[in-house]
Amino acid sequence: MSSTNPGATGTTGRPPSDGSTRDRIRDAAVLRFARSGFGASVRTIAADAGVSPALVIHHFGSKEALHRACDDFVLRWIVGSKRQNMGRATGGQLLQVMAEVDEYAPLLGYAVQSLQAGGEVARAFVQHMIDDAQVYTREAVADGIVKPSVDEDARVRYLTLSALGTLLLTLTLDPPEDPEDFAAGIRTFTTEHYLPMIELFTQGFLTSRRMLDDYLLYLSDPPAGTRDATTDGDVAADTTAAPDPETTSEER
Amino acid sequence: MSSTNPGATGTTGRPPSDGSTRDRIRDAAVLRFARSGFGASVRTIAADAGVSPALVIHHFGSKEALHRACDDFVLRWIVGSKRQNMGRATGGQLLQVMAEVDEYAPLLGYAVQSLQAGGEVARAFVQHMIDDAQVYTREAVADGIVKPSVDEDARVRYLTLSALGTLLLTLTLDPPEDPEDFAAGIRTFTTEHYLPMIELFTQGFLTSRRMLDDYLLYLSDPPAGTRDATTDGDVAADTTAAPDPETTSEER
DNA sequence: GGACGGGCTGAACGCGCGTTTAGTCTATTG
DNA sequence: CAATAGACTAAACGCGCGTTCAGCCCGTCC
């Protein structure tokens, strides 16, 4: 407990050998986690950083704490990068741009590994992408480029989760030869899905409005019970209740 | 090597104590893998099946071989269930139906775990869903319910990967309290995304056809080189070449 | 100059893993 | 009835893991 207090050593009053080794270990861990997932061993990370495994524990207390430190670091990067990222999060093109920049690639890899493992970083990463997309979508709607939605928040959330989920699944199903080369993976993803995506975005999928209208009618006048547990309070905005749609989805 | 020859004992000529124990182990393994992922230990599986860990190895040779046997079993189920499944794979409603049936739930869980791990079962599972969706989409287009696409194969592939990927990411980000209850997870997924999905499917997202037309023009008259490696031979049908779309995507 | 304390290491500990080994039990076979 | 073969187990092996321990090195403080 007392050893995990970085900087501010009290008696000595200043950083004795600056925090460089600790940082080097954390950087190596981020890189290794991004490359090999969170199953990577402390020994491997120590070897990457050129130190002994014991030192890793000495500085961070445990592997779990190291993981948390990496999460914090990447999270801080995500928040920081928000300031200088210029738009277009919808189609995953923001990711494309990021993956091309070698400096960002490992951090992106870390985020992807987190998405597969499903930790706090994953949720935060997704939430930030949703927030960004919300801004850009709002602008695009105001500019008349994008059609308005019955529930803007739900739409932007769905579109973001859809884009990220599709990317994730594509990467999992046929991983690129070099797992580090996320640029290649995202490029493949883009070339494969760009056409059907803009086609869907342009003309939709269904020929009639019936299914949508039926469901909207159903929402405004729910038939009876079927009350479900809502997962989170911070997501649904307009939909007062969205029970099992099976009853209205009488397609074909 | 010689011990890994199941059935057909030659001299004895018939199943001595029928294959029930072996099957029981395999069933326990499928269940445990579905519940806890493929990191589950042989000891746990053995305990679930009520046998010693050594017997698991005795019957299957290794954990990896057991994993393969489970894959085979689930794969055979997927192929078999194809015969009696009636449609609507697009929105994941097929999954919804399946998850409600308790008998299918563990096998669905196994498939989801495979999707996260990305093995052969995952690819097969996705491919079967794509094949099914292809049939139903073709019918729906013929019936005038669904708009035709420039590239039907690419569209159905994208839509399937998108639906599954979104589901997978949703499940990863906030996993249901009881990880076995896939019905609950899929229900949550449906209620959360049904509205934005049919809205997108009904009216699209963009107000103008410009992006799509630009890209189609670009496809028919590619500017220069930028030749990429195609991932698989059995997927792309109409798109002769789909290079980096960055040049045409000059939105905003 | 001696005490001190943090950075750092090599060696070891305990644990859970997949797997092996040696052997028991049981039921079939000649 | 003796031989045989396969189902099955208890115990142990070897390995890699996260972590601990004892101690070295070296710069700082009284």
Side-chain angles (χ1 to χ4, degrees):
Chain A
M1 260 231 196
S2 61
S3 68
T4 58
N5 184 10
T9 34
T11 336
T12 48
R14 60 181 180 81
S17 68
D18 90 352
S20 73
T21 302
R22 206 189 120 104
D23 287 359
R24 220 174 62 239
I25 294 175
R26 187 210 49 210
D27 291 348
V30 169
L31 227 73
R32 180 48 57 183
F33 283 149
R35 266 193 257 263
S36 318
F38 298 107
S41 74
V42 171
R43 282 170 168 85
T44 311
I45 294 168
D48 288 352
V51 299
S52 70
L55 189 62
V56 176
I57 302 297
H58 172 72
H59 276 305
F60 292 91
S62 71
K63 185 190 176 178
E64 197 194 323
L66 171 62
H67 186 157
R68 275 198 301 270
C70 291
D71 276 8
D72 281 0
F73 179 75
V74 175
L75 228 51
R76 238 175 291 122
W77 164 75
I78 290 174
V79 174
S81 80
K82 232 176 151 171
R83 303 211 171 85
Q84 58 189 37
N85 89 32
M86 26 66 197
R88 278 182 291 174
T90 310
Q93 281 150 276
L94 172 64
L95 292 174
Q96 172 76 40
V97 170
M98 281 178 168
E100 302 288 0
V101 183
D102 283 355
E103 186 195 351
Y104 290 165
L107 293 171
L108 246 197
Y110 191 95
V112 170
Q113 294 283 1
S114 293
L115 283 185
Q116 282 199 270
E120 187 206 349
V121 166
R123 259 185 294 277
F125 184 70
V126 169
Q127 195 53 55
H128 280 287
M129 298 216 68
I130 290 176
D131 292 346
D132 287 2
Q134 212 145 45
V135 173
Y136 303 124
T137 306
R138 235 185 279 279
E139 285 179 17
V141 170
D143 292 353
I145 296 171
V146 162
K147 295 181 179 175
S149 168
V150 176
D151 184 346
E152 293 284 4
D153 289 351
R155 175 171 73 173
V156 88
R157 182 174 169 83
Y158 164 71
L159 285 176
T160 308
L161 283 175
S162 165
L164 283 179
T166 313
L167 172 62
L168 196 62
L169 185 55
T170 302
L171 284 177
T172 308
L173 285 183
D174 17 60
E177 303 165 22
D178 183 358
E180 296 181 56
D181 194 357
F182 278 95
I186 295 180
R187 219 176 299 123
T188 302
F189 166 79
T190 309
T191 61
E192 199 180 335
H193 297 313
Y194 188 78
L195 176 60
M197 230 165 66
I198 50 172
E199 192 190 66
L200 175 66
F201 283 9
T202 303
Q203 68 174 23
F205 181 71
L206 302 167
T207 51
S208 104
R209 288 191 55 89
R210 247 203 74 208
M211 278 187 69
L212 176 57
D213 290 337
D214 279 359
Y215 187 61
L216 289 176
L217 202 66
Y218 166 84
L219 278 188
S220 63
D221 179 25
T226 52
R227 201 116 207 133
D228 285 354
T230 52
T231 35
D232 239 344
D234 61 341
V235 45
D238 294 3
T239 56
T240 22
D244 200 335
E246 245 175 310
T247 20
T248 51
S249 70
E250 285 300 334
E251 51 187 312
R252 3 185 356 154
Chain B
M1 264 220 198
S2 60
S3 68
T4 58
N5 185 7
T9 34
T11 336
T12 49
R14 61 179 179 84
S17 68
D18 92 349
S20 72
T21 302
R22 205 188 119 105
D23 287 0
R24 219 174 63 240
I25 294 174
R26 187 211 49 211
D27 291 348
V30 169
L31 228 74
R32 181 80 299 150
F33 283 150
R35 265 193 257 261
S36 319
F38 298 107
S41 75
V42 170
R43 280 170 169 85
T44 311
I45 294 168
D48 287 351
V51 299
S52 71
L55 189 62
V56 176
I57 301 298
H58 171 71
H59 276 306
F60 293 91
S62 73
K63 184 189 178 179
E64 197 195 323
L66 171 62
H67 187 156
R68 275 197 302 269
C70 293
D71 276 8
D72 280 1
F73 180 74
V74 175
L75 227 51
R76 239 176 288 121
W77 163 74
I78 290 174
V79 173
S81 79
K82 232 177 151 169
R83 302 210 171 85
Q84 60 191 38
N85 91 31
M86 26 65 196
R88 278 182 291 173
T90 310
Q93 280 150 278
L94 172 65
L95 291 174
Q96 171 76 40
V97 171
M98 281 179 169
E100 301 290 358
V101 183
D102 283 354
E103 186 194 351
Y104 290 165
L107 293 170
L108 244 197
Y110 190 95
V112 169
Q113 293 283 2
S114 292
L115 283 184
Q116 282 199 267
E120 188 206 349
V121 166
R123 259 185 296 276
F125 183 70
V126 169
Q127 194 55 54
H128 281 286
M129 299 216 67
I130 290 176
D131 291 346
D132 287 0
Q134 213 144 44
V135 173
Y136 303 123
T137 307
R138 235 185 279 279
E139 286 179 18
V141 169
D143 292 353
I145 296 170
V146 162
K147 295 182 179 176
S149 168
V150 177
D151 185 346
E152 293 284 4
D153 290 352
R155 176 171 72 174
V156 89
R157 182 173 170 82
Y158 164 72
L159 285 176
T160 308
L161 283 174
S162 166
L164 283 178
T166 313
L167 171 63
L168 196 63
L169 186 55
T170 303
L171 283 178
T172 309
L173 285 183
D174 19 60
E177 302 164 22
D178 183 357
E180 297 181 55
D181 193 359
F182 278 95
I186 295 181
R187 217 177 301 122
T188 302
F189 167 79
T190 309
T191 60
E192 198 180 335
H193 296 313
Y194 188 79
L195 176 60
M197 230 166 63
I198 51 171
E199 190 188 68
L200 175 65
F201 283 8
T202 303
Q203 69 175 21
F205 181 72
L206 302 168
T207 51
S208 101
R209 290 191 53 89
R210 246 203 75 208
M211 276 188 70
L212 176 57
D213 290 338
D214 279 0
Y215 186 60
L216 289 175
L217 202 65
Y218 165 82
L219 278 188
S220 62
D221 179 24
T226 50
R227 202 112 206 136
D228 283 355
T230 52
T231 36
D232 239 346
D234 62 341
V235 43
D238 294 5
T239 54
T240 23
D244 201 333
E246 242 176 310
T247 19
T248 51
S249 70
E250 286 300 336
E251 51 188 311
R252 335 195 19 141

